Amino acid sequence: MPKNAQFYLLSDSSSARSNLSAVESLACDLAASAWRLGKRVLLVCESEAQALNIDEALWQREPDEFVPHNLSGEATTYATPIEISWTGKRNAQSRDLLINLQPQLPEYINSFNQIIDFVPVEEQPKALARERYKQLRQLGWALSTEQV
């Protein structure tokens, strides 16, 4: 199965929601869409604080927008379709899609066939996103971009 990475190019008009940044808000929406398509998602954050913030935002969604999720390491009877993780935390469960909010690619990317990543407007994070793009291209991933 070919490995695909989709990079979302954010613009100044990308919209944030509640107390989330534009990229965090988009990551939540993409995770919800993937879940509705039957995919199991790992959303990997830059920090525990970011993971907790996204977790809280997902709980505050309208009832018809709810998505089943949990933080890595939380004891749950059944695995949830969306797992929120951060540096140093990773559950060993198999997932279909990695949504990356970290400045680097996690070392376990090869266990995924699909990655979603983001290219922010600010120069420093944009340069880091370009590096991730180059790394994936060198690893032979099929790459695509979409303006948002």
Side-chain angles (χ1 to χ4, degrees):
M1 177 176 225
K3 293 184 177 280
N4 297 298
Q6 173 83 35
F7 279 77
Y8 286 86
L9 309 169
L10 280 74
S11 65
D12 286 329
S13 62
S14 297
S15 61
R17 186 172 36 203
S18 65
N19 59 343
L20 297 179
S21 70
V23 69
E24 292 166 342
S25 182
L26 179 57
C28 288
D29 291 344
L30 291 168
S33 295
W35 168 66
R36 287 187 187 93
L37 293 172
K39 294 188 184 241
R40 300 177 49 72
V41 179
L42 177 65
L43 200 159
V44 64
C45 299
E46 194 170 346
S47 66
E48 183 177 5
Q50 184 183 44
L52 292 169
N53 195 26
I54 287 174
D55 177 55
E56 185 58 32
L58 287 174
W59 281 115
Q60 292 176 4
R61 288 183 153 217
E62 294 298 318
D64 63 333
E65 290 184 12
F66 176 76
V67 291
H69 66 281
N70 71 290
L71 291 165
S72 286
E74 281 184 330
T76 57
T77 307
Y78 302 102
T80 58
I82 298 174
E83 180 182 341
I84 304 165
S85 183
W86 60 95
T87 306
K89 282 275 195 183
R90 177 157 193 288
N91 199 327
Q93 291 176 356
S94 169
R95 301 281 169 177
D96 304 308
L97 169 65
L98 172 70
I99 298 179
N100 185 37
L101 294 175
Q102 295 183 344
Q104 306 86 18
L105 291 171
E107 63 246 12
Y108 46 80
I109 60 164
N110 286 325
S111 61
F112 290 87
N113 288 321
Q114 187 179 7
I115 294 177
I116 289 178
D117 208 318
F118 305 91
V119 181
V121 174
E122 303 82 20
E123 278 310 311
Q124 179 62 23
K126 185 187 285 187
L128 292 170
R130 287 183 182 130
E131 283 304 310
R132 294 190 301 274
Y133 188 93
K134 282 187 217 169
Q135 287 174 317
L136 289 169
R137 185 176 57 211
Q138 289 169 348
L139 291 170
W141 287 63
L143 302 168
S144 58
T145 58
E146 185 173 325
Q147 186 76 44
V148 289

